[in-house]
Amino acid sequence: MKITRRDAVAMGIGATAMAVLPMRAMAAIDELVNDFTGGADIGTGDISLDAPEIAENGNTVPIGVSAPGAEEVILFAPGNPTPPVATFKFGPAAGEQAASTRIRLAKTQDVLAIARMADGSFIQTTATVKVTIGGCGG
Amino acid sequence: MASGVKPRVKAPKSASAGEVVTLKTLISHKMETGLRKDGDGNVIPRSIINRFTCELNGNMVVDVTMEPAISVNPYFEFKAKVDATGEFKFTWYDDDGSVYEAASPVTVG
Amino acid sequence: MKAKMLRKVAGLAVATAMAAAPAVADEDAELVINGEIEIVTRTAAPAHLDGHLNEVISGWVFRSDRTQAMEMDDFDNPGMLFVDQARDIWATAEGSEGKSCADCHGEPEEMAGVKPVYPKWSDSAGQVMTLQMQVNECRTERMGAEAWGVDKGGSIPMEALLSSVSRGMPMNVAIDGPAQETWEKGKEIYYTRFGQLELSCASCHEENYGNMIRADHLSQGQINGFPTYRLKNTKLNGVHSRFKGCIRDTRAHTFNPGSPEFVALELYVASRGNGLSVEGPSVRN
C-alpha cells in the first residue's frame, strides 16, 4: 500500500496523541477505582463481563456483568470522557449477582468491572470492545 | 422529562417458592449526558435517570446507580428470587426530581 | 475525470472486506418474536425481481447476534416503548369531531392486514398513499384534527403500532393497476445513479449486499422492518427519513420526505420485499 504524505502525517499525529492520552486517562480511572475500593488490593476471581467483541454501534452496546457472591459491582468505561457507567448493588431478593444493560462507548476500549465481595475483598475483570465507525448507514 | 414516561416491565405473574425469575425493564428517557452542545455552542445540561431500584415485598433485589454512559431508553435485565406472594416494585429516579414507578404482582403457588 | 475516479474509489470501498471479521449474524438464524410470532426473513424474490435477485432477505439477517436478539422479545425491543405511546394516542379523542382512532377502528389489533399492503393506490385520493398519508387523511377528514408531518409527531409511533399488529404477515403491495405508473417511477429512481459518488440504490443494496462498507454490513435495503429502532440514534426511524439519510450519505442532493419521488420509491422498495414478513418495529444498527 502506498503511503501518502497525508497518511504519514496522520500517523505521526496519531502516535503523539497516543503517547499523551493514556497517561491522563489512567490517572483519572485510578482515582475512581480508589474511591470504590478505598485503596484495597484488587484480585481476580469469579467475575465476568459479557460484551460483544465488536459493538454494532457504540451508542447502544449490550453488556452484562456477573459476580456470584458480590454485594456491589461497579462498571467503568475508561475510554469514555466520563468513565463511570453504573454501580449495581445486589440485595437479599436478588436471584443472581448479575445484571445486563446497554451502554454508550465512545471508542474501542477495555470495559472494566470491579466487584466488592461479601467478605470485603475486591476482584476485577476487563473486556475489550471494539467500537467502529459505520459505513454509509453509520 | 416528567410526563408521558411509561416504563415497560416484564415480570412473571406467578412462581414457585424460591424460584429464580428473570425481570426485564425498559423506560423511555433521552438520557442527556451533559457532554453535547447545541447549535449555538452552549452545553446542553445533563438530564438523566440516575438511579433504578427493584424491590420484592420490601426486600431489595437490585439498586443501580446510573451514569450518563447508560444508553438512551435505559434497559435492565436481572434475576430475582421469589419467596412469597407479593409485588415487584420498580422505581426510576430522574435528575430533575421526577420519580417513575411500576409495579407487578406475583403469586407463589 | 474526477467523477470516474470517485466511482472507482467508491466501488473499491464497497468491495473491500474487513480484515477482522465482525460478529456478523448467523445467516441461518430464525426470527421468532416473543416465542410466537414467526417472521419470514428470507424467501424467494418476487417475480418482478427476475434477473435481479433470487432471494430477498430482511435487514435482520445482516445484524450482529446481539442486535438480532433485541428484536426477539417485545420487552427487549425499545421500539415497543413508542408502540405503547401510540396505543395511548389511538385511544385518545382528538380534533373537532371529538373522536379517537378507536371510535371508528376498534382495538389496534383489528388493523392487522393494513400495513402489508401499503403504500397503495387510493381511488378517492387519486394517488398512491403511504400509510402515514392515509393516517393523516383519517385525521383531517374524519377527526377534524391536524395532520402530522412526515416522520414527525405521532406519525412514527402510529406507523410502528400499525406495523406491530401485522407482524408475521407477508408484505404484499400491489405493483399493477393504478399503482403501476408510480411503481415504475420508483423503480427508475432505484436504478438511477445520483450525485457526486454516482451511486444508485442498486449499487449497494442489489450488487453488494452481504459485503462490508467500512464497518457496516450491507443489507438489501428492505423496508419490511420499518419503522426501525436504530441503535445509532436510539429512536424509531421512518422510511423517508432513511431514504434521505442514505442519499445524503452518498453525496447526492436528496428528495424530501413526503415528496412524490419518495412515495414512489417507498412503493417500489416495499415491493422488493413482497413475501418477507412485516417486522416493524424492528431493531437495526
Side-chain angles (χ1 to χ4, degrees):
Chain A
M1 174 181 112
K2 221 195 305 182
I3 303 200
T4 65
R5 207 170 338 149
R6 189 185 289 179
D7 292 339
V9 173
M11 288 194 314
I13 291 180
T16 316
M18 273 303 292
V20 171
L21 280 177
M23 298 293 284
R24 218 175 283 168
M26 264 160 55
I29 194 76
D30 282 345
E31 247 183 72
L32 292 163
V33 168
N34 269 341
D35 284 343
F36 182 67
T37 62
D41 283 337
I42 311 176
T44 52
D46 194 359
I47 176 173
S48 58
L49 269 170
D50 181 25
E53 200 186 306
I54 301 184
E56 179 109 70
N57 191 289
N59 203 24
T60 314
V61 184
I63 200 150
V65 65
S66 171
E71 285 187 349
E72 202 176 350
V73 180
I74 193 167
L75 212 55
F76 289 112
N80 279 9
T82 44
V85 176
T87 309
F88 299 89
K89 283 204 192 74
F90 298 104
E96 265 179 25
Q97 288 74 40
S100 299
T101 184
R102 295 168 190 157
I103 69 176
R104 297 188 250 212
L105 293 176
K107 57 184 182 155
T108 296
Q109 58 187 288
D110 293 337
V111 177
L112 167 67
I114 308 176
R116 178 173 56 78
M117 310 306 290
D119 65 4
S121 64
F122 293 91
I123 55 174
Q124 72 176 9
T125 187
T126 61
T128 308
V129 181
K130 294 198 185 92
V131 178
T132 57
I133 298 180
C136 258
Chain B
M1 197 74 201
S3 67
V5 175
K6 217 206 295 211
R8 273 179 77 84
V9 167
K10 184 177 191 179
K13 295 279 181 283
S14 64
S16 37
E19 189 182 344
V20 169
V21 300
T22 302
L23 303 170
K24 294 186 183 185
T25 68
L26 250 182
I27 189 168
S28 60
H29 196 283
K30 60 185 160 60
M31 298 293 282
E32 191 61 67
T33 60
L35 294 168
R36 295 199 310 154
K37 295 203 173 121
D38 64 17
D40 299 322
N42 304 313
V43 170
I44 304 173
R46 168 184 144 151
S47 176
I48 68 168
I49 293 183
N50 59 51
R51 186 173 171 220
F52 165 73
T53 63
C54 172
E55 275 182 13
L56 173 57
N57 299 333
N59 295 317
M60 198 236 292
V61 178
V62 73
D63 185 336
V64 191
T65 307
M66 296 160 62
E67 307 286 349
I70 297 287
S71 293
V72 172
N73 303 329
Y75 170 81
F76 291 109
E77 181 183 336
F78 50 95
K79 293 200 169 41
K81 189 155 64 134
V82 182
D83 276 332
T85 293
E87 196 179 56
F88 287 108
K89 276 212 182 66
F90 307 91
T91 317
W92 292 260
Y93 299 84
D94 197 320
D95 273 350
D96 71 7
S98 310
V99 178
Y100 316 110
E101 293 176 322
S104 182
V106 62
T107 315
V108 170
Chain C
M1 225 12 211
K2 203 174 194 186
K4 223 196 254 174
M5 261 268 287
L6 282 169
R7 195 197 299 193
K8 225 189 273 177
V9 168
L12 205 64
V14 169
T16 303
M18 277 227 326
V24 292
D26 170 7
E27 304 243 323
D28 292 321
E30 310 234 304
L31 174 56
V32 180
I33 298 179
N34 300 332
E36 48 181 27
I37 313 176
E38 286 180 16
I39 303 284
V40 173
T41 55
R42 313 180 74 122
T43 189
H48 70 85
L49 283 177
D50 235 4
H52 292 273
L53 286 177
N54 290 332
E55 192 185 20
V56 286
I57 308 173
S58 166
W60 181 81
V61 173
F62 296 90
R63 306 273 56 91
S64 77
D65 294 346
R66 288 162 195 265
T67 308
Q68 288 185 330
M70 276 172 75
E71 200 181 311
M72 292 170 75
D73 182 343
D74 279 354
F75 289 92
D76 276 310
N77 184 342
M80 294 305 290
L81 286 168
F82 304 95
V83 169
D84 281 347
Q85 279 178 19
R87 280 187 187 272
D88 286 343
I89 299 174
W90 182 267
T92 307
E94 209 187 328
S96 60
E97 305 305 299
K99 285 197 201 149
S100 68
C101 316
D103 285 329
C104 289
H105 290 293
E107 290 301 299
E109 282 68 21
E110 294 172 53
M111 302 300 281
V114 172
K115 180 71 164 74
V117 297
Y118 270 85
K120 80 173 193 180
W121 176 264
S122 160
D123 274 332
S124 53
Q127 59 176 323
V128 167
M129 305 270 273
T130 65
L131 191 50
Q132 286 187 22
M133 286 162 76
Q134 182 59 59
V135 167
N136 278 332
E137 201 241 12
C138 268
R139 287 177 61 80
T140 55
E141 304 310 303
R142 283 176 278 289
M143 287 167 68
E146 275 182 34
W148 288 318
V150 178
D151 289 355
K152 290 192 165 45
S155 290
I156 293 281
M158 191 53 68
E159 193 175 349
L161 172 60
L162 292 172
S163 209
S164 71
V165 300
S166 284
R167 281 181 297 181
M169 301 178 71
M171 297 267 292
N172 188 19
V173 303
I175 67 176
D176 54 5
Q180 184 167 356
E181 200 185 313
T182 309
W183 182 81
E184 300 279 4
K185 186 158 131 198
K187 180 172 173 181
E188 195 191 324
I189 296 175
Y190 193 86
Y191 286 100
T192 304
R193 289 179 179 270
F194 288 98
Q196 197 182 37
L197 293 182
E198 288 201 36
L199 293 172
S200 69
C201 313
S203 309
C204 289
H205 292 298
E206 185 172 291
E207 295 164 37
N208 280 291
Y209 72 86
N211 288 336
M212 302 298 294
I213 180 160
R214 288 208 289 180
D216 229 358
H217 195 192
L218 269 179
S219 71
Q220 281 188 349
Q222 299 288 358
I223 58 176
N224 61 309
F226 273 76
T228 184
Y229 186 88
R230 294 196 65 187
L231 301 182
K232 140 187 157 111
N233 62 13
T234 55
K235 66 183 183 101
L236 279 180
N237 295 262
V239 174
H240 291 203
S241 296
R242 186 58 213 135
F243 286 164
K244 177 174 155 190
C246 251
I247 296 178
R248 185 208 56 214
D249 284 347
T250 58
R251 304 201 193 169
H253 191 68
T254 174
F255 303 105
N256 287 323
S259 61
E261 288 86 359
F262 274 179
V263 173
L265 188 58
E266 183 180 341
L267 172 60
Y268 178 69
V269 176
S271 79
R272 286 175 71 90
N274 275 351
L276 292 174
S277 301
V278 169
E279 212 181 296
S282 60
V283 179
R284 302 282 188 260
N285 59 325

